[in-house]
Amino acid sequence: VARALANGLDVIAWARTKETENTLRRRVINAWSALEKQGMAEGSSQSRLHFAGTIDECVKQADFIQESIPEQLDLKKQLHIKIGESARHNVIIASSTSGLLPSDFYHHVSYPERCIGCGICAGTCPCGVWSINDNNEKISMYRTGKKS
């Protein structure tokens, strides 16, 4: 979240509890000085972080979705079903996962081909692994694991 804000992006987050929201806000504040030393994009600001009251409000207009909930399979399945119901069909849904196979919970989502596994990594893009660029070409998506 802090990296996305430092890159001048708007972030709409959803937290299950007020305590979780406060924790995220504290983490952004704690990371901010280090991000300032690395250099920030024009328009970067902690004030670009907003919280939605529901999952639907959080994802319905998103251009990119990064899910970062605890690695509990049933919890991830439930959340991805809700995200899939509300997100636009062409939006990439990234899941922060290192101990679960994304195919274990992505096959519950409509349009599972838009889903990727993405750990919390270093870098300057929202998930730290790749950059987001304008692209008018078709993007091929690949899925791993067995199809149900």
Side-chain angles (χ1 to χ4, degrees), residues 73-85:
L73 185 56
D74 288 337
L75 187 61
K76 282 200 183 271
K77 283 180 185 178
Q78 292 169 13
L79 181 59
H80 280 269
I81 289 169
K82 289 179 182 177
I83 290 171
E85 292 170 349

Side-chain angles (χ1 to χ4, degrees), residues 104-121:
D104 288 343
F105 49 89
Y106 282 160
H107 70 273
H108 295 281
V109 178
S110 55
Y111 306 104
E113 64 274 5
R114 67 186 170 161
C115 302
I116 62 173
C118 184
I120 303 299
C121 307

Side-chain angles (χ1 to χ4, degrees), residues 53-79:
T54 66
I55 295 168
D56 177 64
E57 290 173 24
C58 183
V59 304
K60 68 182 176 184
Q61 296 299 319
D63 296 316
F64 175 84
I65 298 168
Q66 172 67 50
E67 166 270 304
S68 300
I69 61 170
E71 297 226 328
Q72 298 171 14
L73 185 56
D74 288 337
L75 187 61
K76 282 200 183 271
K77 283 180 185 178
Q78 292 169 13
L79 181 59

Side-chain angles (χ1 to χ4, degrees), residues 9-137:
L9 299 175
D10 291 311
V11 175
I12 301 172
W14 173 77
R16 292 184 294 163
T17 66
K18 188 66 174 173
E19 180 182 340
T20 303
E21 178 182 330
N22 291 337
T23 298
L24 180 55
R25 288 184 188 280
R26 281 193 307 274
R27 288 180 178 171
V28 169
I29 291 167
N30 290 340
W32 204 251
S33 63
L35 292 167
E36 285 177 322
K37 290 176 186 172
Q38 293 177 3
M40 295 189 162
E42 186 176 327
S44 60
S45 172
Q46 293 179 50
S47 67
R48 296 182 85 158
L49 172 60
H50 305 280
F51 282 83
T54 66
I55 295 168
D56 177 64
E57 290 173 24
C58 183
V59 304
K60 68 182 176 184
Q61 296 299 319
D63 296 316
F64 175 84
I65 298 168
Q66 172 67 50
E67 166 270 304
S68 300
I69 61 170
E71 297 226 328
Q72 298 171 14
L73 185 56
D74 288 337
L75 187 61
K76 282 200 183 271
K77 283 180 185 178
Q78 292 169 13
L79 181 59
H80 280 269
I81 289 169
K82 289 179 182 177
I83 290 171
E85 292 170 349
S86 299
R88 291 177 288 136
H89 75 278
N90 60 341
V91 173
I92 292 176
I93 303 168
S95 177
S96 177
T97 182
S98 58
L100 297 173
L101 292 175
S103 57
D104 288 343
F105 49 89
Y106 282 160
H107 70 273
H108 295 281
V109 178
S110 55
Y111 306 104
E113 64 274 5
R114 67 186 170 161
C115 302
I116 62 173
C118 184
I120 303 299
C121 307
T124 58
C125 71
C127 70
V129 177
W130 40 267
S131 60
I132 300 173
N133 299 306
D134 289 336
N135 182 3
N136 295 324
E137 297 178 26

